[in-house]
Amino acid sequence: MPEIYASGFLNRNIIEHLLSDGSRQFICRTLQNPIAYHDGTMLRPVSITDVADTFSAKGEGIYLRDKNIVSVGIKQADDAYKFIGLRPDEKQDGSEQLEFSLESIEANGKAQTINLSQKTAVSPIAYNIGNLLVQSRRQGTRIALPLTNADEGFKFTLRLHLTGLSLVYMPDIDEYWIFNEKGQFRFRIRKPILLDAITDEPLVSETEPGIYDGLVKHSLTEIGKGEYLYVKEPTEAFGRAKLPAAFLVDADTAYSTTADGYVRNNNSNFSTCRDATTGTGSNNSYTSYNYAIVANNDYYIYRSFFYFDCSGLSGTVGAVSQFLYGCLAGDSEVMAMKGTQADTLTTADYDAFS
C-alpha cells in the first residue's frame, strides 16, 4: 500500500490524501454517508477512491468506492455490461455480489444511444456517466435516468446478475428483496419514483401532496443462471400528470431495510389531523429536508422518522447530541421523540413515537 505523502481539506467534508505512488485518496464525511465502518475490531473512517484517475487494487479497470457499508464499483470503460457492481464489505472475495448491466433505454418509443463514457463528478457522492446519474448514498446506490416533460413515455431496462444471492418479491410493498444463501438480508430494490432534477429528492408538491405518486411501475423477469431483466416504465397516470421541466426516474438499491422518511396526514381540522393514528401518505427515501406543517385549504402534518444503526457500539451510552436545523414561518417549536416505527416505514407509523 502506498503511504500518505501530503494531506489537505478540499472542503469541511472531504480530506484529500496525496499518496506516494502519485494517486489520490479521499476521506469522505458528507452528511448522507457514514463517517465510519466497523471492520470487526474497531471503527475506521470511510474512504473513497478518486474516480477521476485512480485504479482499484481489487480489480483492474474498476473504480471502487470502498468501506461504505457496501463497496460500489463503477467500470472505467464505456461498456454497459456489468457497469456497476455491489458487494457487502465483508465479502470482497466476490462470493456475494449484485451487478447491473444496462440493456436498453427508450424514450417516446425510440431506442436511445447508450453512452457511459462521460463520468463527470456531480458531487463527492454522485457521477454523471453519460445518459445516467449514479449516486452512492448512505442507504444505497441510485441509478437515475434524466427526462424532461416533453418525454411522453420511457422504458428503462437493466439486467441483474446475482452471485451467492437469491431474490424474493414482496407483494405487499411491491419491492424485490435479495438474500444470501444463509437467508440474511443483503439488498433491496424499491419501487421506482420520480426525483427532482436539482435536489434529486422525491418530487413533492406543496399544494397537491401525492400527485407524483404511482407514476412509475417496475417488473422483474428471471432469465436463468442468476440473471434477471428489470424494467421500469410509466403507468397510465404518467401521461396525465403535470411534470416539471426536468426530472429523474429513480432506480434505487438500498443496503438495509430501513431508510429515513416521513408519514403525513391531511385534514381540514387541525386537531383531527394532529390526533390521527394513521397517515394518508408516506415516503421512506428522504435524506436531507422535510416539511413539518403545511396549511393550504387543509392542514398537512409531516412527521419525520430517522433510523440510527448502533449495532457497532457496545457498553453504556452516557450522552448523545442531536442537532436539528429548520426554516420557521411564525412561532414554532421542534420536538424530538423516541420513534417506534416499523421496518420499513408505512402510513401506520403516523403515531409511532413516545
Side-chain angles (χ1 to χ4, degrees):
M1 289 291 292
E3 297 180 351
I4 294 176
Y5 179 73
S7 298
F9 280 89
L10 293 183
N11 58 48
R12 66 188 183 91
N13 291 323
I14 307 294
I15 305 170
E16 180 184 21
H17 294 319
L18 176 63
L19 303 182
S20 58
D21 65 355
S23 63
R24 292 178 291 165
Q25 182 188 60
F26 295 85
I27 304 299
C28 177
R29 292 189 174 92
T30 61
L31 297 178
Q32 295 180 7
N33 285 271
I35 294 175
Y37 72 97
H38 199 277
D39 68 354
T41 304
M42 60 183 296
L43 292 173
R44 297 187 181 277
V46 172
S47 64
I48 58 175
T49 302
D50 179 19
V51 174
D53 51 24
T54 302
F55 285 93
S56 163
K58 297 187 176 71
E60 185 72 17
I62 299 293
Y63 295 132
L64 189 64
R65 184 159 180 259
D66 202 10
K67 303 305 181 190
N68 190 16
I69 304 175
V70 166
S71 299
V72 182
I74 303 176
K75 187 176 288 184
Q76 179 192 16
D78 181 15
D79 182 0
Y81 180 69
K82 295 186 177 181
F83 73 104
I84 292 181
L86 298 88
R87 294 178 181 176
D89 278 345
E90 71 273 23
K91 295 294 181 181
Q92 288 301 322
D93 60 356
S95 59
E96 292 181 17
Q97 189 162 272
L98 172 62
E99 297 169 296
F100 294 84
S101 293
L102 181 55
E103 288 287 300
S104 62
I105 300 175
E106 295 180 15
N108 305 311
K110 296 182 179 179
Q112 304 298 300
T113 301
I114 296 174
N115 173 21
L116 303 182
S117 61
Q118 190 169 324
K119 288 189 175 63
T120 302
V122 179
S123 76
I125 61 170
Y127 295 89
N128 184 333
I129 60 171
N131 46 11
L132 292 177
L133 181 71
V134 177
Q135 181 193 68
S136 195
R137 309 167 359 268
R138 178 163 68 90
Q139 284 107 358
T141 292
R142 170 174 286 161
I143 307 169
L145 172 67
L147 291 175
T148 71
N149 57 9
D151 294 315
E152 299 177 356
F154 61 90
K155 188 175 182 180
F156 183 21
T157 304
L158 294 164
R159 183 186 293 253
L160 276 58
H161 311 262
L162 275 62
T163 301
L165 303 168
S166 60
L167 190 146
V168 177
Y169 178 59
M170 314 296 284
D172 54 331
I173 53 176
D174 192 18
E175 294 184 354
Y176 299 96
W177 287 21
I178 298 173
F179 300 85
N180 65 11
E181 294 176 351
K182 296 181 179 179
Q184 297 170 315
F185 175 87
R186 285 310 194 191
F187 303 102
R188 165 184 171 218
I189 301 177
R190 298 188 305 207
K191 187 175 180 178
I193 55 177
L194 300 183
L195 306 170
D196 186 287
I198 303 299
T199 66
D200 57 66
E201 293 287 355
L203 283 183
V204 175
S205 169
E206 294 186 25
T207 57
E208 299 179 80
I211 65 169
Y212 298 123
D213 296 343
L215 299 184
V216 188
K217 60 183 179 180
H218 65 167
S219 60
L220 190 143
T221 304
E222 185 174 3
I223 56 178
K225 296 182 179 179
E227 296 188 357
Y228 300 79
L229 285 182
Y230 177 64
V231 178
K232 289 176 295 302
E233 53 194 338
T235 64
E236 292 183 3
F238 178 87
R240 301 190 297 269
K242 185 178 180 180
L243 295 164
F247 57 94
L248 303 171
V249 178
D250 170 41
D252 198 25
T253 305
Y255 300 152
S256 70
T257 58
T258 56
D260 303 337
Y262 68 77
V263 183
R264 72 166 186 269
N265 189 283
N266 64 282
N267 196 281
S268 58
N269 181 277
F270 176 76
S271 296
T272 302
C273 185
R274 177 195 62 200
D275 297 337
T277 58
T278 303
T280 55
S282 65
N283 186 297
N284 61 5
S285 61
Y286 262 33
T287 56
S288 58
Y289 70 94
N290 209 341
Y291 301 108
I293 298 176
V294 180
N296 192 18
N297 295 325
D298 282 358
Y299 289 96
Y300 293 86
I301 295 179
Y302 292 74
R303 289 173 177 164
S304 301
F305 293 83
F306 302 95
Y307 296 82
F308 298 90
D309 182 5
C310 301
S311 60
L313 303 178
S314 60
T316 301
V317 177
V320 174
S321 297
Q322 184 180 40
F323 299 90
L324 302 177
Y325 299 89
C327 179
L328 308 180
D331 294 335
S332 184
E333 61 183 27
V334 174
M335 291 177 288
M337 298 185 176
K338 177 183 177 180
T340 56
Q341 71 271 26
D343 172 6
T344 304
L345 192 66
T346 69
T347 54
D349 295 312
Y350 184 69
D351 63 346
F353 56 87
S354 60

